[in-house]
Amino acid sequence: MSDREHLLLEWLNTVLPVAPDRMAPASSDASFRRYFRVWYDGQTRIVMDAPPDKEDCRPFVAIGQAMRGLGLNTPEVLAGDLDQGLLLLTDLGSRQYLAELDEHSVTSLYDDALAALACLQIGGDPDSPLLPLYDSALLHREMDLFRDWFLERLLGLELCMDERQTLDQVFALLADNALEQPRVWVHRDYHSRNLMVTDPVNPGVLDFQDAVVGAVTYDLVSLLRDCYIAWPREQVERWVLDYRARLRALGMSGLDDAGQFLRWFDLMGMQRHLKAIGIFARLKLRDGKTGYLRDIPRTLGYVLEVANRHSELTGLRELLRARRVDRWEPAL
C-alpha cells in the first residue's frame, strides 16, 4: 500500500461514522487524480485522491457546487481536506454511458445528456468570475499538442516551414471559429466516459473541474463526435440541429443560421480532436498510458472527415495525406 493510500485510509477513519469494510479503485483518470469506491455500513461513497503537488481540488468543489445549482447531477462533496487533496463524494454508480450506449439506448440517453447540457448552457452566467475564459491562447496551446506530441514526438516527423505555416493557418482559423460563437459554460470533457447512467436524475456528470467559458458547440461536439464511440454523420447532424432549436426555444440568441451552426460544430470538433490526439500521444509518451492510442484512429477519422468537407482545410488534409498520417494505426 502506498503512502497516499495509508493517508487516505487514516483520513477516512476520521470522517466516516464507522470504519470502511473495503475500498477498491472506482475509475481510471487521464490526470493524476485517482478515485476509490468505499463500502461501509451498507452503502458506498467515492473518495478522490488528488495529490496537492499535482492537482488542486478547489475548482472541483466550487464548480461542482455551481453545476448542481443549475440542476446537473454532479457528486456532492460530503467531506474534504483540500490541503491534502482528499474529498469524500456521493457515489453516482458504475454505469458509464460508454458501456450502456447502443442503437437502442442512444436516443433516450442522449436526450437526457442534451437536456442537462442545455441547463448548463442556459443557466451558467458567462460573465461569472468562477470560470476562466476559453481564450485564443488556450485554444492554440491545445492545438499545439497535436503538432508537438503526435506529429513530432510520437510519429517522429520533422515538419518543414510550409507544413508549419499550414498548421499555423489552420489553428488560427479554428481559434477564430471558436471565439465568434455565443459564449456559455463549457464542461470541456462532456463525453461518454464522464457521463453516468443514474436514476432518477440522469445523467450523472463527472470530471468538470476544468470547465471554462467558451463556444456553444464545444460540449456538443464532445458528446456527439465522441473520441470513444462514433455515430453516423446524418444522425449526428440531426441531433446538432435539434439541439440548436432547443437552445433557441429557451431564449439563446445568435443561433439564427442553421448552416453557420453546423460549420461552427464541424470546426469546433476539429479543434477538439486535434487537441485530443495530442493528449492521447502525450499520455503514452509522458505518462506510460498506452491504452489511449487505440482511440486515435477514430479521432483522426473525424479530423479527416471534416477536412474533406471544408475547402479552407484542404492544406491540412493534404499535409496528413502526404505524410501518410491518414493511414496511421497504433502498434499495440
Side-chain angles (χ1 to χ4, degrees), residues 10-248:
E10 290 177 359
W11 179 72
L12 281 176
N13 286 329
T14 69
V15 298
L16 292 178
V18 296
D21 299 318
R22 64 188 179 102
M23 182 176 73
S27 68
S28 60
D29 195 283
S31 73
F32 294 100
R33 291 181 299 273
R34 296 187 302 166
Y35 297 89
F36 297 90
R37 180 167 283 109
V38 176
W39 286 260
Y40 74 96
D41 197 25
Q43 55 191 315
T44 63
R45 294 288 185 260
I46 297 295
V47 183
M48 177 198 289
D49 172 25
D53 59 327
K54 296 182 174 66
E55 302 284 344
D56 183 2
C57 288
R58 289 167 178 80
F60 181 95
V61 174
I63 295 169
Q65 182 178 11
M67 288 187 176
R68 284 175 67 84
L70 298 177
L72 275 71
N73 184 14
T74 60
E76 182 180 354
V77 177
L78 303 174
D81 185 330
L82 298 180
D83 292 333
Q84 296 195 94
L86 300 173
L87 294 177
L88 183 68
L89 310 170
T90 52
D91 187 356
L92 298 183
S94 55
R95 297 178 62 196
Q96 197 177 62
Y97 255 53
L98 183 58
E100 300 274 340
L101 282 167
D102 59 34
E103 61 183 8
H104 303 293
S105 65
V106 63
T107 298
S108 62
L109 290 180
Y110 275 15
D111 280 350
D112 289 346
L114 292 168
L117 182 59
C119 287
L120 177 68
Q121 296 191 333
I122 294 295
D125 178 5
D127 295 319
S128 168
L130 176 64
L131 303 184
L133 286 176
Y134 211 162
D135 61 13
S136 180
L138 179 53
L139 289 161
H140 278 275
R141 285 199 303 273
E142 291 180 339
M143 290 182 285
D144 284 340
L145 297 172
F146 176 78
R147 171 169 40 207
D148 298 344
W149 285 95
F150 181 62
L151 295 180
E152 296 182 344
R153 301 194 194 194
L154 186 67
L155 303 191
L157 300 181
E158 293 186 10
L159 301 175
C160 69
M161 183 61 68
D162 286 347
E163 290 171 327
R164 290 185 171 276
Q165 288 178 348
T166 294
L167 290 176
D168 287 342
Q169 290 166 2
V170 169
F171 293 174
L173 169 73
L174 299 179
D176 288 345
N177 172 76
L179 295 172
E180 74 181 27
Q181 299 180 38
R183 294 189 310 147
V184 297
W185 281 25
V186 176
H187 176 289
R188 213 164 155 208
D189 273 310
Y190 198 77
H191 57 67
S192 61
R193 287 185 171 174
N194 288 331
L195 299 177
M196 310 300 293
V197 180
T198 52
D199 184 32
V201 182
N202 188 62
V205 180
L206 305 176
D207 204 21
F208 42 77
Q209 63 280 338
D210 295 322
V212 291
V213 171
V216 68
T217 61
Y218 190 92
D219 283 339
L220 190 63
V221 83
S222 301
L223 179 70
L224 300 181
R225 287 201 180 125
D226 194 326
C227 294
Y228 310 112
I229 187 169
W231 306 102
R233 174 189 164 192
E234 295 77 11
Q235 177 62 72
V236 168
E237 292 189 351
R238 284 196 296 271
W239 282 323
V240 170
L241 293 177
D242 286 347
Y243 186 73
R244 166 184 166 269
R246 182 198 295 260
L247 292 182
R248 295 185 74 202

